[in-house]
Amino acid sequence: MSDSSKPYNAEFSFKPGASLKIKGNFILKDSQGNIIPTGDYIKLCRCGKSKSQPFCDHSHRTA
Amino acid sequence: MISEKVQARPELFLFKFVGNLQKEPMDKNDREYTNGDITVYWRPNKCVHATICYTQLIEVFNPRKRPWVNMQGATNEKIIEIVDKCPTDALTYCWNKDLENPPAPREKKETVTSEKPVEIQIMRDGPILVTGKIKLTDNDGKEYKTYSISSFCRCGASGNMPFCDGMHRKIGFEG
Ligand code: SF4
Ligand code: FES
Ligand code: FES
């Protein structure tokens, strides 16, 4: 396949026990539906413990 | 009724027919609920636990009650409004009068598949709802199959990581 365009618009990756890393073309919205301005790379909390939800603040390291 | 959110970002949604609803094979867990005017169809295996239905209309959609859908809990209009907000085909509805006559084609929003930005919606006390084309890998580089809508666990308690399996409700996650 010579098509250079990617079949996806954003890349998500995760590590067990740590954040969800998101890179690419995306829009982030809070639970009210308001857009949260971001760059093209964010880390979202997956552990439920972050004090700055929805972002990871590394609280996942302190069990 | 179209939700405000859909009106605000109409380019994020396409429409597709679900007029052939009845022809879809029924899963043994599928349920129907009716109030005589409309019938709501529940397909649990399509649910991504986006929590929209019960956070917005607990009088009708109450996961703690059996049956969990109470068709007497709100007006037809309100029930239809919330069913239309369900991002998947887990909740759909049909007017009963259309069941007797040839069913009128109905429309339901579906996700885009084009170059639109991926939409990442934080659900209150629930998961991260992602709409659009994504690539998902873990730290070993293993690639996971994704769909046009996925919901990622935010509470830390899912038994099906990284996806939400509804556990946030059991543990009373707030955030
Ligand atoms: S996917 Fe639909 S049925 Fe499932 S929780 Fe969300 S709104 Fe309710
Ligand atoms: S995943 Fe890092 S704080 Fe929750
Ligand atoms: S957010 Fe749903 S199981 Fe964790």
Side-chain angles (χ1 to χ4, degrees):
Chain A
M1 284 218 303
S2 59
D3 189 355
S4 63
S5 69
K6 296 186 196 136
Y8 52 86
N9 297 314
E11 286 177 69
F12 287 56
S13 65
F14 70 98
K15 189 157 88 179
S19 65
L20 182 65
K21 297 178 184 172
I22 306 171
K23 199 166 62 183
N25 182 12
F26 60 82
I27 301 170
L28 178 64
K29 287 185 177 178
D30 68 16
S31 53
Q32 321 292 328
N34 305 311
I35 292 180
I36 309 176
T38 66
D40 61 3
Y41 177 63
I42 56 173
K43 297 202 291 187
L44 296 183
C45 176
R46 293 199 311 126
C47 73
K49 294 186 207 124
S50 171
K51 302 278 177 297
S52 47
Q53 292 283 358
F55 302 103
C56 168
D57 70 354
H58 301 286
S59 297
H60 59 265
R61 287 180 191 157
T62 53
Chain B
M1 235 189 108
I2 293 181
S3 74
E4 274 171 33
K5 224 180 272 166
V6 176
Q7 270 167 349
R9 300 201 60 84
E11 75 279 14
L12 286 174
F13 297 95
L14 294 174
F15 290 90
K16 76 163 185 176
F17 285 122
V18 288
N20 58 348
L21 205 60
Q22 283 70 42
K23 289 185 206 115
E24 261 184 43
M26 287 268 293
D27 184 271
K28 67 172 181 346
N29 295 316
D30 290 357
R31 294 286 179 274
E32 298 179 13
Y33 306 94
T34 187
N35 59 9
D37 294 337
I38 55 176
T39 299
V40 167
Y41 300 87
W42 162 238
R43 294 185 179 78
N45 59 358
K46 298 269 170 82
C47 177
V48 296
H49 310 286
T51 74
I52 293 166
C53 53
Y54 62 85
T55 52
Q56 298 198 13
L57 194 58
I58 190 81
E59 297 81 6
V60 174
F61 303 103
N62 188 337
R64 291 182 195 280
K65 291 206 175 143
R66 289 295 172 271
W68 83 281
V69 178
N70 169 19
M71 293 298 288
Q72 313 306 325
T75 61
N76 290 338
E77 289 67 30
K78 192 72 197 165
I79 294 174
I80 289 170
E81 180 190 337
I82 300 304
V83 166
D84 276 343
K85 283 188 185 177
C86 172
T88 68
D89 282 342
L91 286 175
T92 53
Y93 77 93
C94 207
W95 286 95
N96 287 10
K97 57 174 166 18
D98 293 335
L99 288 174
E100 291 148 22
N101 308 313
R106 293 186 305 101
E107 293 172 335
K108 179 148 185 172
K109 57 193 187 289
E110 217 212 12
T111 51
V112 295
T113 50
S114 64
E115 273 68 65
K116 297 287 181 345
V118 170
E119 182 166 289
I120 303 166
Q121 169 77 55
I122 305 296
M123 303 308 299
R124 177 160 53 94
D125 305 337
I128 303 162
L129 188 67
V130 174
T131 310
K133 288 196 154 185
I134 67 170
K135 181 184 175 186
L136 174 65
T137 52
D138 65 16
N139 58 323
D140 294 328
K142 180 182 163 210
E143 194 166 336
Y144 287 70
K145 184 161 170 49
T146 56
Y147 301 89
S148 56
I149 296 178
S150 350
S151 71
F152 292 94
C153 175
R154 210 156 66 85
C155 73
S158 170
N160 183 31
M161 285 292 192
F163 304 106
C164 167
D165 70 355
M167 270 303 283
H168 56 266
R169 190 162 52 77
K170 286 216 179 79
I171 67 162
F173 174 61
E174 286 174 21

